[in-house]
Amino acid sequence: MNAAPIDGDEPWMRALHADTGYLLYRLGLRSGQLFNTFLQESGLRLRHYAVLRFLATSEGALQRELSTRLGYDPSAIVGLVDDLEKLGFAERRPSPDDRRSRIVVLTEDGRAFLRGTDEAGLRVTNELLGPLAPAERDALHALLLRIAEDGLA
């Protein structure tokens, strides 16, 4: 049995679409779905991708730093790093500052994988933001960046 299409003029739908937070939530879900569909071929999810992107900007990070910076539960980071190690995209190494600690570093295979995702990321963004003109996309990005810098730092 197929569900009936949603009527955008129904009062409950108008109320949801008047809520900016709800729209951001729904767009975030849609963006994640699109990107996860692309990543599915490699066996990764958006959370793995976020770890790889973070590692690409650093010389390595402790797992607790990854947890803090990305906003993921520490137990989730362990599993994500395990997955990335199995694929050869990241590895744990002794920390130069404390041999008891291990840092997670991006491997060359991980860097190559990220280079290959650039075009796919652009396709996902273009699909999601298709209704917007280039100037509107730039304005939206600037506004989201301002919110993210203030609220997610």
Side-chain angles (χ1 to χ4, degrees), residues 111-134:
R111 288 185 196 290
F113 175 79
L114 283 176
R115 283 190 297 274
T117 64
D118 291 341
E119 186 177 318
L122 186 58
R123 283 195 313 267
V124 166
T125 299
N126 286 337
E127 184 173 335
L128 189 66
L129 301 182
L132 301 180

Side-chain angles (χ1 to χ4, degrees), residues 16 21 23 28 36 39-40 81 96 140 142:
L16 282 176
L23 290 174
N36 278 330
L39 290 171
Q40 191 172 1
V81 173
L140 176 62

Side-chain angles (χ1 to χ4, degrees), residues 23-150:
L23 290 174
L24 287 170
Y25 167 75
R26 291 290 302 175
L27 289 170
L29 284 178
R30 180 69 181 136
S31 176
Q33 289 168 344
L34 290 170
F35 210 82
N36 278 330
T37 298
F38 158 73
L39 290 171
Q40 191 172 1
E41 297 170 13
S42 64
L44 298 181
R45 308 267 308 151
L46 190 53
R47 298 182 98 185
H48 295 99
Y49 178 79
V51 171
L52 290 173
R53 278 288 173 204
F54 181 86
L55 293 174
T57 64
S58 69
E59 296 294 319
L62 296 170
Q63 288 182 174
R64 67 178 166 267
E65 180 184 6
L66 291 171
S67 173
T68 301
R69 296 291 195 106
L70 297 173
Y72 297 162
D73 186 82
S75 63
I77 290 292
V78 172
L80 293 170
V81 173
D82 287 347
D83 294 343
L84 294 172
E85 272 194 315
K86 287 176 190 164
L87 291 168
F89 292 169
E91 64 184 24
R92 291 175 175 101
R93 296 181 183 162
S95 171
D97 300 329
D98 179 358
R99 294 279 182 208
R100 295 171 295 166
S101 296
R102 304 192 49 83
I103 59 170
V104 181
V105 297
L106 190 63
T107 64
E108 279 308 311
D109 285 349
R111 288 185 196 290
F113 175 79
L114 283 176
R115 283 190 297 274
T117 64
D118 291 341
E119 186 177 318
L122 186 58
R123 283 195 313 267
V124 166
T125 299
N126 286 337
E127 184 173 335
L128 189 66
L129 301 182
L132 301 180
E136 292 172 317
R137 289 179 184 206
D138 291 343
L140 176 62
H141 182 84
L143 291 169
L144 290 172
L145 188 60
R146 195 163 82 201
I147 293 168
E149 288 174 345
D150 184 55

